[in-house]
């Protein structure tokens, strides 16, 4: 699938809006059409490499959107659900199990590794070169994002007709 995304390629340089190719979601992931995404100082610090994260990368860790598709092991959301996106957590460690996912033992690789835990990414440029994804489990600076289920929070939107989508 083709998407548009803001890509951080070079420290201290402007993000480049590029057409990328996105792989299908895995069985435990969700495809979200982004409606909104914030820019945080963390995004800037990663772009500038004050916080080490592989480049090139699609940043964004404060997104909101609508579920477009989901893997067959996802049960917490349905296609059409409105969601906000947050940090990613493993859901397995003691911190996650006691309701403290922001202290997850896998916090750094899941959120700053800019890949899945197995090291794979879901984004590629026109030369088939990997572009790092899954920043904070989402990489929401794009018109679509493949999202870790731990990053999803289902929300109620009363007036869906007035949502304005990013992109075409």
């Amino acid at each position: 699938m083709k998407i548009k995304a803001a890509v951080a390629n070079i420290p201290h340089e402007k993000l480049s809006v590029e057409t990328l190719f996105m792989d299908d979601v895995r069985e435990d992931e969700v495809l979200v059409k982004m409606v909104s995404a914030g820019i945080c100082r963390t995004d800037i610090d990663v772009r500038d490499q004050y916080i080490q994260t592989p480049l090139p990368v699609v940043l964004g860790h404060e997104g909101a959107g609508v579920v477009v598709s989901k893997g067959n092991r996802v049960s917490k959301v349905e296609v059409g659900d409105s969601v906000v996106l947050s940090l990613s957590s493993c859901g397995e460690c003691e911190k996650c199990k006691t309701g403290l996912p922001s202290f997850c033992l896998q916090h750094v690789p899941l959120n700053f590794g800019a890949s899945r835990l197995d090291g794979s990414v879901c984004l590629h440029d026109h030369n088939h070169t990997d572009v790092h994804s899954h920043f904070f489990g989402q990489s929401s600076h794009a018109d679509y994002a493949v999202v870790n289920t731990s990053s999803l929070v289902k929300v109620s939107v009363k007036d869906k007709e007035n949502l304005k989508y990013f992109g075409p």
Side-chain angles (χ1 to χ4, degrees), residues 56-84:
V57 63
V58 175
L59 300 170
H61 64 283
E62 298 170 345
V66 177
V67 175
V68 174
S69 68
K70 63 181 193 145
N72 61 9
R73 286 188 22 219
V74 176
S75 60
K76 71 189 276 185
V77 295
E78 297 298 330
V79 171
D81 285 347
S82 297
V83 292
V84 293

Side-chain angles (χ1 to χ4, degrees), residues 27 31-32 40 44 52 63 67 94 103 107-108 128 131 146:
E27 61 186 11
L31 179 64
V32 174
C40 175
I44 295 166
Q52 294 293 301
V67 175
E94 188 62 31
F103 295 100
H107 179 80
V108 172
H128 306 287
V131 174
V146 170

Side-chain angles (χ1 to χ4, degrees), residues 5-87:
V7 181
N9 289 296
I10 301 167
H12 307 284
E13 295 289 327
K14 291 181 180 179
L15 301 178
S16 172
V17 176
E18 301 178 19
T19 299
L20 299 176
F21 298 89
M22 177 181 278
D23 297 338
D24 292 335
V25 296
R26 291 188 176 175
E27 61 186 11
D28 60 345
E29 295 175 327
V30 173
L31 179 64
V32 174
K33 180 165 183 56
M34 299 309 304
V35 175
S36 180
I39 284 193
C40 175
R41 182 65 202 197
T42 303
D43 297 306
I44 295 166
D45 286 347
V46 168
R47 179 207 59 189
D48 294 343
Q49 294 292 280
Y50 299 123
I51 301 172
Q52 294 293 301
T53 297
L55 299 177
V57 63
V58 175
L59 300 170
H61 64 283
E62 298 170 345
V66 177
V67 175
V68 174
S69 68
K70 63 181 193 145
N72 61 9
R73 286 188 22 219
V74 176
S75 60
K76 71 189 276 185
V77 295
E78 297 298 330
V79 171
D81 285 347
S82 297
V83 292
V84 293
L85 310 179
S86 185
L87 60 84

Side-chain angles (χ1 to χ4, degrees), residues 47-168:
R47 179 207 59 189
D48 294 343
Q49 294 292 280
Y50 299 123
I51 301 172
Q52 294 293 301
T53 297
L55 299 177
V57 63
V58 175
L59 300 170
H61 64 283
E62 298 170 345
V66 177
V67 175
V68 174
S69 68
K70 63 181 193 145
N72 61 9
R73 286 188 22 219
V74 176
S75 60
K76 71 189 276 185
V77 295
E78 297 298 330
V79 171
D81 285 347
S82 297
V83 292
V84 293
L85 310 179
S86 185
L87 60 84
S88 193
S89 59
C90 75
E92 305 284 326
C93 72
E94 188 62 31
K95 296 295 184 184
C96 287
K97 288 181 178 179
T98 57
L100 298 169
S102 58
F103 295 100
C104 175
L105 297 180
Q106 295 292 325
H107 179 80
V108 172
L110 281 169
N111 295 287
F112 292 99
S115 66
R116 297 175 178 108
L117 278 180
D118 68 6
S120 66
V121 299
C122 69
L123 300 174
H124 317 280
D125 68 14
H126 65 281
N127 292 320
H128 306 287
T129 303
D130 288 349
V131 174
H132 292 279
S133 61
H134 291 78
F135 182 67
F136 275 75
Q138 62 186 276
S139 289
S140 58
H141 290 169
D143 53 359
Y144 289 88
V146 170
V147 181
N148 293 347
T149 56
S150 67
S151 299
L152 294 166
V153 178
K154 184 177 168 179
V155 294
S156 175
V157 177
K158 293 181 181 176
D159 192 4
K160 290 187 180 186
E161 292 149 15
N162 286 323
L163 291 176
K164 302 278 191 248
Y165 293 104
F166 173 82

